[in-house]
Amino acid sequence: MKLNALRMKKGKAKIIMLTAYDCQMAKILDETGIDLILVGDSLGMVIQGFKNTKSVTVADMLYHTRAVARGATNTPIVGDMPIKSDRTARDALRNAQRFIKAGAQGVKIEGTRSKVVRTLLNAGIPVMGHVGLLPQTAENYRVKGKRPPEAEKIFHDALELDELGVFSMVLECIPEALAKRITEAVRTPTIGIGAGRYCDGQVLVINDMLGFDESFAPKYLKRFASLNKIIKDAIAKFQEEVSSVVYPDSDHTYH
Ligand code: KIV
């Protein structure tokens, strides 16, 4: 599906996006029929073990985008432009082209960077916007837009991205009423994370929704599986069977 075709879903069917960072997960997601895979710079936390996304590099992102592209041959892939990759429109264009070469069909840019977004769109690169909580520049991970001035700024940022012609925009950690107001005001589909039910779609970080890290529990996060427990149970069984020489048995041995 061409990324711009996602606009057709607005008001008709919800858009489903999940993150992936490696080939095997991308292959699984590709088989589920979700709309989009985001190679998010959230990999700074869930893959690299940092506290935030501020140290993720373009090289890191391209490495993971290539891995995801090897696994997902049908689902459109969006590459997240990391901090410092889009300081100037020229840098942004060069880096966005590298994402496309790595296998992404479009890129996501945090915040309203009009000149950058316009440059990429003019070069034919589909852009996903991102407003609300902006982890690359945020000093803390609190909900944004609870107070009227901040809510107005986020609303106007969303209108600006809509005018520019992004193919969708992420609304991160904002009150549901603000997300609803934005979703109703823009032609671009909105994809929420911590932004309530009225968005045109939803995104979650795959490791979070599968329950890898039980200590990460923001209010918006629902765990759809408990892989932490499943993995630990499997490892305990392996330990027990190896210790008691139950594994490897004859069926799992070359004769
Ligand atoms: O980096 C990421 O995974 C994201 C999503 C949370 C939207 O930006």
Side-chain angles (χ1 to χ4, degrees):
M1 189 208 279
K2 283 247 161 46
L3 288 177
N4 285 321
L6 277 181
R7 287 172 167 278
M8 313 283 283
K9 287 193 109 175
K10 189 169 175 94
K12 297 199 182 89
K14 295 281 189 187
I15 294 169
I16 313 296
M17 179 162 86
L18 286 166
T19 67
Y21 315 101
D22 63 62
C23 175
Q24 289 194 338
M25 186 60 78
K27 191 161 184 285
I28 294 172
L29 293 184
D30 205 36
E31 288 161 4
T32 65
I34 63 166
D35 296 293
L36 289 170
I37 296 176
L38 173 68
V39 185
D41 64 355
S42 48
L43 66 81
M45 284 91 87
V46 299
I47 303 295
Q48 298 177 323
F50 291 113
K51 280 204 170 63
N52 53 48
T53 60
K54 294 180 201 282
S55 53
V56 176
T57 65
V58 175
D60 295 335
M61 293 303 302
L62 295 177
Y63 173 88
H64 288 277
T65 302
R66 282 187 215 102
V68 167
R70 278 179 217 116
T73 48
N74 299 307
T75 316
I77 297 165
V78 179
D80 209 358
M81 297 273 283
I83 191 163
K84 294 185 194 157
S85 66
D86 55 4
R87 275 185 174 157
T88 64
R90 198 156 159 241
D91 281 357
L93 180 57
R94 192 172 51 87
N95 286 321
Q97 284 165 337
R98 293 167 78 194
F99 270 97
I100 302 297
K101 206 165 162 218
Q105 278 76 49
V107 295
K108 178 166 81 59
I109 305 244
E110 275 191 27
T112 41
R113 317 279 321 283
S114 305
K115 193 170 172 206
V116 165
V117 172
R118 203 175 291 117
T119 302
L120 301 197
L121 291 174
N122 286 342
I125 298 175
V127 177
M128 174 182 279
H130 185 155
V131 299
L133 173 63
L134 304 175
Q136 288 172 9
T137 46
E139 274 160 26
N140 52 52
Y141 277 26
R142 69 170 175 80
V143 177
K144 304 291 173 188
K146 280 195 162 184
R147 297 213 182 101
E150 196 173 51
E152 282 317 295
K153 160 104 179 62
I154 294 169
F155 182 72
H156 285 101
D157 286 351
L159 293 188
E160 191 177 328
L161 287 171
D162 189 41
E163 269 310 304
L164 285 165
V166 295
F167 74 86
S168 64
M169 68 178 89
V170 169
L171 307 183
E172 180 162 358
C173 287
I174 60 173
E176 186 176 65
L178 176 59
K180 182 170 188 282
R181 190 174 156 221
I182 293 172
T183 300
E184 287 171 357
V186 298
R187 287 158 299 167
T188 308
T190 60
I191 304 180
I193 174 163
R197 77 202 107 149
Y198 298 108
C199 298
D200 297 306
Q202 297 290 330
V203 55
L204 285 174
V205 168
I206 192 80
N207 296 51
D208 298 345
M209 65 91 75
L210 293 179
F212 273 89
D213 180 359
E214 289 172 348
S215 68
F216 184 67
K219 184 173 184 196
Y220 71 79
L221 177 62
K222 177 168 175 177
R223 291 200 192 94
F224 289 83
S226 302
L227 287 203
N228 186 299
K229 184 172 180 330
I230 291 173
I231 292 168
K232 282 183 185 150
D233 286 351
I235 291 168
K237 197 147 195 291
F238 176 65
Q239 274 178 317
E240 185 193 305
E241 291 198 9
V242 169
S243 303
S244 57
V245 203
V246 167
Y247 174 84
D249 57 8
S250 183
D251 286 351
H252 296 93
T253 300
Y254 299 111
H255 298 288

